[in-house]
PDB file of all heavy atoms in Angstrom:
ATOM      1  N   GLU A  86      62.225  31.823  -8.557  1.00  0.00           N
ATOM      2  CA  GLU A  86      60.872  31.732  -9.084  1.00  0.00           C
ATOM      3  C   GLU A  86      60.175  33.088  -9.052  1.00  0.00           C
ATOM      4  O   GLU A  86      59.471  33.473  -9.983  1.00  0.00           O
ATOM      5  CB  GLU A  86      60.058  30.709  -8.281  1.00  0.00           C
ATOM      6  CG  GLU A  86      60.461  29.268  -8.586  1.00  0.00           C
ATOM      7  CD  GLU A  86      59.766  28.269  -7.683  1.00  0.00           C
ATOM      8  OE1 GLU A  86      59.766  28.509  -6.457  1.00  0.00           O
ATOM      9  OE2 GLU A  86      59.242  27.278  -8.186  1.00  0.00           O
ATOM     10  N   GLY A  93      61.590  40.448 -15.515  1.00  0.00           N
ATOM     11  CA  GLY A  93      62.505  41.544 -15.767  1.00  0.00           C
ATOM     12  C   GLY A  93      61.914  42.922 -15.568  1.00  0.00           C
ATOM     13  O   GLY A  93      62.560  43.926 -15.877  1.00  0.00           O
ATOM     14  N   GLN A  98      63.273  51.167 -16.231  1.00  0.00           N
ATOM     15  CA  GLN A  98      63.278  52.471 -15.584  1.00  0.00           C
ATOM     16  C   GLN A  98      61.868  52.815 -15.136  1.00  0.00           C
ATOM     17  O   GLN A  98      60.894  52.597 -15.860  1.00  0.00           O
ATOM     18  CB  GLN A  98      63.778  53.537 -16.556  1.00  0.00           C
ATOM     19  CG  GLN A  98      65.244  53.391 -16.928  1.00  0.00           C
ATOM     20  CD  GLN A  98      66.143  53.619 -15.723  1.00  0.00           C
ATOM     21  OE1 GLN A  98      65.838  54.432 -14.869  1.00  0.00           O
ATOM     22  NE2 GLN A  98      67.245  52.893 -15.666  1.00  0.00           N
ATOM     23  N   VAL A 129      37.252  52.689 -17.909  1.00  0.00           N
ATOM     24  CA  VAL A 129      37.448  53.231 -19.258  1.00  0.00           C
ATOM     25  C   VAL A 129      36.479  54.391 -19.359  1.00  0.00           C
ATOM     26  O   VAL A 129      35.264  54.194 -19.461  1.00  0.00           O
ATOM     27  CB  VAL A 129      37.169  52.179 -20.341  1.00  0.00           C
ATOM     28  CG1 VAL A 129      37.223  52.833 -21.727  1.00  0.00           C
ATOM     29  CG2 VAL A 129      38.152  51.032 -20.252  1.00  0.00           C
ATOM     30  N   ARG A 136      34.525  42.673 -16.011  1.00  0.00           N
ATOM     31  CA  ARG A 136      33.923  41.719 -15.081  1.00  0.00           C
ATOM     32  C   ARG A 136      33.158  40.637 -15.821  1.00  0.00           C
ATOM     33  O   ARG A 136      32.435  40.910 -16.772  1.00  0.00           O
ATOM     34  CB  ARG A 136      32.986  42.440 -14.123  1.00  0.00           C
ATOM     35  CG  ARG A 136      32.314  41.537 -13.084  1.00  0.00           C
ATOM     36  CD  ARG A 136      31.582  42.372 -12.052  1.00  0.00           C
ATOM     37  NE  ARG A 136      30.955  41.547 -11.043  1.00  0.00           N
ATOM     38  CZ  ARG A 136      29.657  41.277 -10.983  1.00  0.00           C
ATOM     39  NH1 ARG A 136      28.845  41.777 -11.910  1.00  0.00           N
ATOM     40  NH2 ARG A 136      29.155  40.520 -10.031  1.00  0.00           N
ATOM     41  N   GLN A 161      50.506  32.812 -11.614  1.00  0.00           N
ATOM     42  CA  GLN A 161      49.105  33.181 -11.783  1.00  0.00           C
ATOM     43  C   GLN A 161      48.907  34.674 -11.582  1.00  0.00           C
ATOM     44  O   GLN A 161      48.205  35.340 -12.343  1.00  0.00           O
ATOM     45  CB  GLN A 161      48.238  32.417 -10.783  1.00  0.00           C
ATOM     46  CG  GLN A 161      46.748  32.771 -10.842  1.00  0.00           C
ATOM     47  CD  GLN A 161      46.133  32.465 -12.182  1.00  0.00           C
ATOM     48  OE1 GLN A 161      45.840  31.309 -12.486  1.00  0.00           O
ATOM     49  NE2 GLN A 161      45.943  33.488 -13.024  1.00  0.00           N
ATOM     50  N   THR A 177      40.357  40.208   1.792  1.00  0.00           N
ATOM     51  CA  THR A 177      40.475  40.291   3.243  1.00  0.00           C
ATOM     52  C   THR A 177      39.902  39.028   3.888  1.00  0.00           C
ATOM     53  O   THR A 177      39.201  38.249   3.253  1.00  0.00           O
ATOM     54  CB  THR A 177      39.743  41.530   3.783  1.00  0.00           C
ATOM     55  OG1 THR A 177      38.390  41.534   3.303  1.00  0.00           O
ATOM     56  CG2 THR A 177      40.438  42.799   3.325  1.00  0.00           C
ATOM     57  N   ASN A 182      42.965  42.225   7.159  1.00  0.00           N
ATOM     58  CA  ASN A 182      41.627  42.813   7.215  1.00  0.00           C
ATOM     59  C   ASN A 182      41.774  44.315   7.046  1.00  0.00           C
ATOM     60  O   ASN A 182      42.891  44.839   6.994  1.00  0.00           O
ATOM     61  CB  ASN A 182      40.929  42.481   8.530  1.00  0.00           C
ATOM     62  CG  ASN A 182      40.303  41.095   8.521  1.00  0.00           C
ATOM     63  OD1 ASN A 182      40.433  40.340   7.562  1.00  0.00           O
ATOM     64  ND2 ASN A 182      39.634  40.747   9.603  1.00  0.00           N
ATOM     65  N   ALA A 189      37.341  62.277   6.534  1.00  0.00           N
ATOM     66  CA  ALA A 189      37.393  63.118   7.721  1.00  0.00           C
ATOM     67  C   ALA A 189      37.811  62.313   8.945  1.00  0.00           C
ATOM     68  O   ALA A 189      38.747  62.689   9.663  1.00  0.00           O
ATOM     69  CB  ALA A 189      36.036  63.779   7.959  1.00  0.00           C
ATOM     70  N   GLY A 191      39.158  59.346   8.870  1.00  0.00           N
ATOM     71  CA  GLY A 191      40.461  58.759   8.582  1.00  0.00           C
ATOM     72  C   GLY A 191      41.596  59.693   8.943  1.00  0.00           C
ATOM     73  O   GLY A 191      42.591  59.281   9.557  1.00  0.00           O
ATOM     74  N   GLY A 213      37.090  59.407  -1.662  1.00  0.00           N
ATOM     75  CA  GLY A 213      37.045  59.893  -0.301  1.00  0.00           C
ATOM     76  C   GLY A 213      37.013  58.829   0.774  1.00  0.00           C
ATOM     77  O   GLY A 213      36.705  59.126   1.930  1.00  0.00           O
ATOM     78  N   TRP A 215      39.030  55.887   3.058  1.00  0.00           N
ATOM     79  CA  TRP A 215      40.332  55.492   3.576  1.00  0.00           C
ATOM     80  C   TRP A 215      40.220  54.077   4.137  1.00  0.00           C
ATOM     81  O   TRP A 215      39.183  53.697   4.718  1.00  0.00           O
ATOM     82  CB  TRP A 215      40.789  56.430   4.692  1.00  0.00           C
ATOM     83  CG  TRP A 215      41.210  57.797   4.248  1.00  0.00           C
ATOM     84  CD1 TRP A 215      40.752  58.511   3.174  1.00  0.00           C
ATOM     85  CD2 TRP A 215      42.185  58.632   4.893  1.00  0.00           C
ATOM     86  NE1 TRP A 215      41.376  59.728   3.106  1.00  0.00           N
ATOM     87  CE2 TRP A 215      42.256  59.835   4.156  1.00  0.00           C
ATOM     88  CE3 TRP A 215      42.989  58.479   6.021  1.00  0.00           C
ATOM     89  CZ2 TRP A 215      43.105  60.874   4.504  1.00  0.00           C
ATOM     90  CZ3 TRP A 215      43.829  59.524   6.375  1.00  0.00           C
ATOM     91  CH2 TRP A 215      43.895  60.699   5.626  1.00  0.00           C
ATOM     92  N   LEU A 229      31.701  52.410  16.847  1.00  0.00           N
ATOM     93  CA  LEU A 229      31.875  52.470  15.398  1.00  0.00           C
ATOM     94  C   LEU A 229      30.838  51.647  14.636  1.00  0.00           C
ATOM     95  O   LEU A 229      30.540  51.938  13.473  1.00  0.00           O
ATOM     96  CB  LEU A 229      33.269  51.968  15.021  1.00  0.00           C
ATOM     97  CG  LEU A 229      34.458  52.704  15.645  1.00  0.00           C
ATOM     98  CD1 LEU A 229      35.750  51.968  15.330  1.00  0.00           C
ATOM     99  CD2 LEU A 229      34.527  54.141  15.154  1.00  0.00           C
ATOM    100  N   ALA A 230      30.301  50.621  15.281  1.00  0.00           N
ATOM    101  CA  ALA A 230      29.461  49.648  14.580  1.00  0.00           C
ATOM    102  C   ALA A 230      28.217  50.261  13.960  1.00  0.00           C
ATOM    103  O   ALA A 230      27.739  49.791  12.914  1.00  0.00           O
ATOM    104  CB  ALA A 230      29.076  48.519  15.536  1.00  0.00           C
ATOM    105  N   HIS A 238      36.134  45.195   6.707  1.00  0.00           N
ATOM    106  CA  HIS A 238      36.316  44.230   5.621  1.00  0.00           C
ATOM    107  C   HIS A 238      37.033  43.002   6.177  1.00  0.00           C
ATOM    108  O   HIS A 238      38.205  43.085   6.582  1.00  0.00           O
ATOM    109  CB  HIS A 238      37.139  44.845   4.490  1.00  0.00           C
ATOM    110  CG  HIS A 238      36.428  45.928   3.747  1.00  0.00           C
ATOM    111  ND1 HIS A 238      35.642  45.694   2.646  1.00  0.00           N
ATOM    112  CD2 HIS A 238      36.373  47.272   3.972  1.00  0.00           C
ATOM    113  CE1 HIS A 238      35.137  46.843   2.207  1.00  0.00           C
ATOM    114  NE2 HIS A 238      35.567  47.809   2.989  1.00  0.00           N
ATOM    115  N   TRP A 258      48.938  55.426  -1.105  1.00  0.00           N
ATOM    116  CA  TRP A 258      49.245  55.206   0.303  1.00  0.00           C
ATOM    117  C   TRP A 258      49.253  56.535   1.054  1.00  0.00           C
ATOM    118  O   TRP A 258      49.949  57.467   0.660  1.00  0.00           O
ATOM    119  CB  TRP A 258      50.609  54.540   0.465  1.00  0.00           C
ATOM    120  CG  TRP A 258      50.672  53.127   0.000  1.00  0.00           C
ATOM    121  CD1 TRP A 258      51.294  52.663  -1.130  1.00  0.00           C
ATOM    122  CD2 TRP A 258      50.127  51.977   0.657  1.00  0.00           C
ATOM    123  NE1 TRP A 258      51.155  51.302  -1.221  1.00  0.00           N
ATOM    124  CE2 TRP A 258      50.444  50.843  -0.135  1.00  0.00           C
ATOM    125  CE3 TRP A 258      49.393  51.798   1.839  1.00  0.00           C
ATOM    126  CZ2 TRP A 258      50.045  49.560   0.214  1.00  0.00           C
ATOM    127  CZ3 TRP A 258      49.004  50.514   2.186  1.00  0.00           C
ATOM    128  CH2 TRP A 258      49.319  49.411   1.387  1.00  0.00           C
ATOM    129  N   CYS A 265      55.953  50.729   8.609  1.00  0.00           N
ATOM    130  CA  CYS A 265      55.670  49.865   9.761  1.00  0.00           C
ATOM    131  C   CYS A 265      56.429  48.545   9.693  1.00  0.00           C
ATOM    132  O   CYS A 265      56.146  47.633  10.482  1.00  0.00           O
ATOM    133  CB  CYS A 265      54.181  49.569   9.846  1.00  0.00           C
ATOM    134  SG  CYS A 265      53.116  50.926   9.394  1.00  0.00           S
ATOM    135  N   PHE A 274      43.684  48.040  18.107  1.00  0.00           N
ATOM    136  CA  PHE A 274      44.573  49.204  18.118  1.00  0.00           C
ATOM    137  C   PHE A 274      44.062  50.284  17.170  1.00  0.00           C
ATOM    138  O   PHE A 274      44.007  51.467  17.519  1.00  0.00           O
ATOM    139  CB  PHE A 274      45.991  48.770  17.733  1.00  0.00           C
ATOM    140  CG  PHE A 274      47.000  49.879  17.786  1.00  0.00           C
ATOM    141  CD1 PHE A 274      47.512  50.317  18.991  1.00  0.00           C
ATOM    142  CD2 PHE A 274      47.432  50.486  16.616  1.00  0.00           C
ATOM    143  CE1 PHE A 274      48.449  51.353  19.040  1.00  0.00           C
ATOM    144  CE2 PHE A 274      48.374  51.510  16.646  1.00  0.00           C
ATOM    145  CZ  PHE A 274      48.876  51.948  17.871  1.00  0.00           C
ATOM    146  N   GLN A 281      39.168  57.651  19.134  1.00  0.00           N
ATOM    147  CA  GLN A 281      39.782  58.911  19.554  1.00  0.00           C
ATOM    148  C   GLN A 281      39.511  60.001  18.524  1.00  0.00           C
ATOM    149  O   GLN A 281      39.246  61.148  18.866  1.00  0.00           O
ATOM    150  CB  GLN A 281      41.284  58.733  19.751  1.00  0.00           C
ATOM    151  CG  GLN A 281      41.983  59.985  20.282  1.00  0.00           C
ATOM    152  CD  GLN A 281      43.446  59.739  20.606  1.00  0.00           C
ATOM    153  OE1 GLN A 281      43.863  58.607  20.841  1.00  0.00           O
ATOM    154  NE2 GLN A 281      44.233  60.799  20.616  1.00  0.00           N
ATOM    155  N   VAL A 289      37.363  69.506  11.191  1.00  0.00           N
ATOM    156  CA  VAL A 289      37.705  68.420  10.266  1.00  0.00           C
ATOM    157  C   VAL A 289      38.017  68.932   8.877  1.00  0.00           C
ATOM    158  O   VAL A 289      38.952  68.478   8.222  1.00  0.00           O
ATOM    159  CB  VAL A 289      36.551  67.397  10.214  1.00  0.00           C
ATOM    160  CG1 VAL A 289      36.855  66.309   9.195  1.00  0.00           C
ATOM    161  CG2 VAL A 289      36.341  66.772  11.584  1.00  0.00           C
ATOM    162  N   GLY A 296      45.879  68.116   4.963  1.00  0.00           N
ATOM    163  CA  GLY A 296      46.508  66.838   4.596  1.00  0.00           C
ATOM    164  C   GLY A 296      46.667  66.643   3.121  1.00  0.00           C
ATOM    165  O   GLY A 296      47.306  65.702   2.683  1.00  0.00           O
TER     166      GLY A 296
END
Side-chain angles (χ1 to χ4, degrees):
E86 287 174 312
Q98 293 294 325
V129 173
R136 181 171 181 256
Q161 178 61 78
T177 53
N182 279 3
W215 288 30
L229 302 172
H238 291 270
W258 291 107
C265 323
F274 183 77
Q281 184 174 337
V289 177

